[in-house]
Every structure is written in C-alpha cells, then in structure tokens.
Amino acid sequence: MLKGLCLKVQAWQRLPPTQRGIVIIALPVCCLLSTVGVLIWLSASIADYEGWVRHTQRVQLEGRELLNHLIDAETGVRGYHLTQQVGFLEPYYTAAAQLPLTLENLEVLISDNPHQLDHFRHLKSLVEETFHLLAQQLEDAPNLSLAETEQRLYFYRQLEQAKQAMDRSRAAINAFMSEEDRLLADRQQHLEALRQINTVVLLLAVVVGLGSSGLAIHWFRQLYQEVDLRGQRLEAACDRLARFTANASHELRAPIAAILSHAQVGLLLARQAPEQSLPRLEKVAALARAMGQLVNDLLFLARYEGVSPPDFATSFDLVPFLEQVAQEWQETSTASHPFHLEVPSVPLLIQGDREMLKQVVLNLLTNADRYTPKGGTITLQLESQGSSAVIHVSDTGMGISEAALPHIFDYFYRDERVRQQGISGSGLGLAIVRQIVHLHRGSITVHSQENQGSTFTVRLPLAP
C-alpha cells in the first residue's frame, strides 16, 4: 500500500505544472460544488418530509374532528330523548352540517394512499349508517309516548342500534387514526434522520473544505517551489551554457590557431626545406587528434546531459574488471609512480556498461598520474559498503585548492595552479566521469588537500 502511494505521488509529481495547477484549483471548487449539491438535495428532502408530516397531522386533525362530530351528534340525540328539550339537538345539527365537509376533506387528504383510502370508504359507510340511525330516531321521537310501552321498547331498540353503529364507527376511526399515527411516527423518524444527516454533512463539509484547502495550499506551495527551483536551474543552466560557450570557444580557437600557424610554416618549409616541414605536419596531426578527442568528449556530454539512468542488463564482477583495467593502464601509461591495487577476495557484482566504467577508472587514474609529482604514489582500491561497491582512486599529488573543489566537475574547469604549471588537459575528463557515474545511479565525491593529495570516491549500487 505504501509502495502504491509512493508511485501515485511520483506520478503526480511527473505531471506538467499546468495540469497540476488545474487540479489544485479544481480540488476546492469540486468540494464546494459537491457540498452545495448534497446540501440542496438534503434541504429539498427535509422540506418534502416536513410537508408530509404536516399533511399527516392535518389528516389526524380531520379524523379527530370526525370523531368529535359523531360524539356530539350521539350525545345531542340522547340528551334530546331523555329531556325532550330541543336545545340538546344543537350539537347534532352542527355535526350534521359539518360532517360532509369533514368527510370530503379527509377523502381528499388521503387520496394518495390507496390503503388508507380503502379504510376511509369503510369508515365513511359506518359513519353514514350511524347518522342515518340517529336521524331515524329523531324522526320517530314525536310519535313516542311514555304511556305506550311498545313504542318505548322500539325507541330503546333504536338507541341500542345507534350505540352499536357508533361503536363500529369509533373502532373504524381509531383504526384509521392508528395507521395515521404510524405514518406520522415513520415520517417524523425519517425527518429526524435527514436532519441528523444534514448536520453530519455540514460538519463533513467543514472538515473536507478545510482539508481540501490545506491540501491545495500544500500542493500550490510545492508547485511554486518546484517552479522556482526550475527557474533557478534554468538560470544556472544559462550561466553554465555561457561559460561552456566561452570555454569551448577558447579551447577550440587555440588549437585551430596553432594548426593554422603550423600549417603555414609547414607550407613555407615545404618549398624551401622540405625535410623541416615534417615536424610541423606531425604537430598539425597531433593538434587535429586532440581537437577530435575534444569534439568526441563534447558529443558524449551533450548526448547524456539530462538523460534518465538506463536499466543496464549486463552484470559483471568489479574485482577482475578493475584488475584488468589497472593492468591495461599500467601497460599503456607512461607513469612511473608506485601503484597499489587493493581489491577484495569476494566478487562484487554490479550492473552497468563496462566501457563507460572503464573510462571512469582510466580518467581518474590519468588525472592522478598527471597531478602527482615524481616520488608520489597512486592507489586504486575497491571495497563493499552496505549495498554499494566503492572505488577509491587516491594520489599523493598536488591536491586541489579549497576554492577549486566546488567547480572541478564543471565543463572546461581547470584550477589556476594547473594552468600556471602548464599541465595539459581539456577540463572535460571529470565532467564525463560524473556523468557516467550518474548514469549508473551512483555518486562521486572528492576529498583533497593542497600538496597532500586527492581521493576520488565512486559509489555504485550492487546488483540485486
């Protein structure tokens, strides 16, 4: 998981600055739009459920009003029969006037609920039956006489029928109201859940907003630092290019002038003293070879400048490799310094290009020989340190001044003391060494003291 995260971070850093800038700007904007969208949806849902809660409460109110009308009507009729006072019929007439409107309102309110609509139709038939019985009792009441026992018995039978109808209607209304209570509780529960979700979303929006803003600020700072670093690198590259152009012009102009001079003198001598023209022509050839080597070095540096390290497929043991290179160098070099080779007795495998690494070792040995006076010693040492193979090239020569150390790997750089002593060199050897070492994912460092000697240390990763 950590490796996958690292790969994603690397993929993010490889994106062009423009794409990363767009993502940085889009991140808080997307979070804001998403939050607004969710909050709008939640607000609409809450408003919808609040409407349903109010709707259910209104149904309950109409249901209780219906029950009150029935109770008022029954109470009025019973009071009238017991007292024969017309004033007791006032609640009955009020209920009779209001009942149709209440039934109509109730039917409209539950028209969207087929289940409750079936209950209502049953309830409505019971209520109308109850009112019909109550109305029948009122129509028969004037014919009653306390002296006529049969008619009184008929009257009480009608009262019993009305009471039974009233009980059925009340039971139907209670069942209807129970369902509405259940619906109300369910909708209030959903409403409360939505309100809690809304609160959580608001808190999350604050956290996500702060987090996304912080992340955007962090990425923006990274991008700014990277762009600033690129600007500094570009400025440094321009400076290096200017120095490179000046140094290259100088390094090429001097041998060209020398070639032209030797060629002109050689032409004159060819007419007057042909035998004396041969050294001039040999000098011209030597200068041309030196220029050719200089051009090849420049082409090498230009070819691998800024190139990512390749995946070398060839692995080899550094121990016999260094022994062979040291032997070839001793056989071809004109050096007369004592030379020491120290290599371990165990193999040290690395992956790389043998020819390139051979050039690294030869360049370092050549420099050690060039800057070491007579009587000094040169040492080539190989050892293993952790996951790296370490090559040391040491000499007891003139060393490098403290002022020159930071620049010795620059193109065409040569220490002023070297120029004053007339030691030849193009100033590209160490630049090539560093570039080859970097191509092998390695590093090179130097430790030196004036008149004490120098030690160049090359670290290369061991083969897995």
Side-chain angles (χ1 to χ4, degrees), residues 52 55-56 59 106-121 175-184 186-187:
W52 279 111
H55 176 83
T56 309
V59 172
L106 199 55
E107 186 172 12
V108 171
L109 288 174
I110 64 170
S111 59
D112 60 327
N113 189 339
H115 179 67
Q116 280 293 78
L117 194 57
D118 292 338
H119 284 177
F120 173 77
R121 287 167 181 162
F176 179 82
M177 294 296 288
S178 297
E179 179 63 17
E180 290 300 321
D181 289 343
R182 189 191 65 77
L183 288 174
L184 178 62
D186 185 55
R187 288 166 179 172

Side-chain angles (χ1 to χ4, degrees), residues 346-365:
V346 296
L348 292 182
L349 296 177
I350 66 165
Q351 287 184 325
D353 186 286
R354 297 174 65 97
E355 291 302 320
M356 285 186 178
L357 292 176
K358 179 179 178 180
Q359 187 173 358
V360 168
V361 178
L362 289 178
N363 280 5
L364 294 177
L365 289 174

Side-chain angles (χ1 to χ4, degrees), residues 211-225:
S212 62
S213 300
L215 186 61
I217 292 173
H218 174 68
W219 283 351
F220 179 79
R221 290 186 60 185
Q222 278 189 337
L223 186 61
Y224 173 79
Q225 292 173 353

Side-chain angles (χ1 to χ4, degrees), residues 241-282:
L241 180 61
R243 289 198 304 271
F244 173 81
T245 304
N247 291 331
S249 300
H250 173 76
E251 294 295 334
L252 291 174
R253 186 170 54 189
I256 289 175
I259 289 174
L260 181 60
S261 174
H262 285 293
Q264 289 173 340
V265 173
L267 287 173
L268 290 175
L269 291 175
R271 299 188 188 96
Q272 301 171 0
E275 66 281 359
Q276 297 181 8
S277 65
L278 182 59
R280 297 289 181 174
L281 295 177
E282 291 176 345

Side-chain angles (χ1 to χ4, degrees), residues 136-391:
Q136 187 65 41
Q137 288 179 14
L138 289 178
E139 289 177 1
D140 295 342
N143 298 324
L144 294 176
S145 171
L146 295 175
E148 296 177 356
T149 305
E150 292 182 357
Q151 291 182 355
R152 183 176 296 277
L153 183 59
Y154 173 75
F155 166 70
Y156 282 113
R157 190 178 297 115
Q158 284 187 324
L159 284 179
E160 184 61 26
Q161 290 178 350
K163 180 179 180 301
Q164 293 176 358
M166 183 65 188
D167 291 341
R168 290 194 297 272
S169 298
R170 182 176 294 178
I173 292 173
N174 288 337
F176 179 82
M177 294 296 288
S178 297
E179 179 63 17
E180 290 300 321
D181 289 343
R182 189 191 65 77
L183 288 174
L184 178 62
D186 185 55
R187 288 166 179 172
Q188 285 178 333
Q189 185 178 1
H190 278 84
L191 179 60
E192 185 62 26
L194 286 174
R195 285 173 175 166
Q196 291 178 356
I197 292 174
N198 188 57
T199 303
V200 172
V201 169
L202 282 174
L203 293 176
L204 286 176
V206 172
V207 174
V208 172
L210 292 176
S212 62
S213 300
L215 186 61
I217 292 173
H218 174 68
W219 283 351
F220 179 79
R221 290 186 60 185
Q222 278 189 337
L223 186 61
Y224 173 79
Q225 292 173 353
E226 183 177 330
V227 172
D228 184 56
L229 182 61
R230 288 187 179 186
Q232 293 177 8
R233 288 176 177 173
L234 181 61
E235 186 176 355
C238 290
D239 292 340
R240 285 199 303 271
L241 180 61
R243 289 198 304 271
F244 173 81
T245 304
N247 291 331
S249 300
H250 173 76
E251 294 295 334
L252 291 174
R253 186 170 54 189
I256 289 175
I259 289 174
L260 181 60
S261 174
H262 285 293
Q264 289 173 340
V265 173
L267 287 173
L268 290 175
L269 291 175
R271 299 188 188 96
Q272 301 171 0
E275 66 281 359
Q276 297 181 8
S277 65
L278 182 59
R280 297 289 181 174
L281 295 177
E282 291 176 345
K283 189 65 176 178
V284 169
L287 289 171
R289 285 194 296 272
M291 287 185 64
Q293 182 61 43
L294 180 62
V295 171
N296 288 335
D297 291 344
L298 290 175
L299 286 175
F300 180 90
L301 291 170
R303 183 180 298 119
Y304 295 106
E305 178 71 26
V307 175
S308 299
D311 292 327
F312 293 104
T314 305
S315 64
F316 57 92
D317 186 0
L318 270 180
V319 175
F321 171 77
L322 287 184
E323 290 174 343
Q324 181 181 357
V325 173
Q327 182 180 357
E328 291 180 6
W329 176 71
Q330 286 181 295
E331 291 174 355
T332 58
S333 172
T334 58
S336 58
H337 305 96
F339 176 72
H340 303 285
L341 176 63
E342 301 174 8
V343 294
S345 57
V346 296
L348 292 182
L349 296 177
I350 66 165
Q351 287 184 325
D353 186 286
R354 297 174 65 97
E355 291 302 320
M356 285 186 178
L357 292 176
K358 179 179 178 180
Q359 187 173 358
V360 168
V361 178
L362 289 178
N363 280 5
L364 294 177
L365 289 174
T366 302
N367 281 348
D369 175 57
R370 182 177 297 161
Y371 302 123
T372 301
K374 188 175 182 181
T377 59
I378 299 174
T379 303
L380 175 61
Q381 182 184 13
L382 173 64
E383 62 178 349
S384 173
Q385 291 183 3
S387 60
S388 301
V390 182
I391 302 172

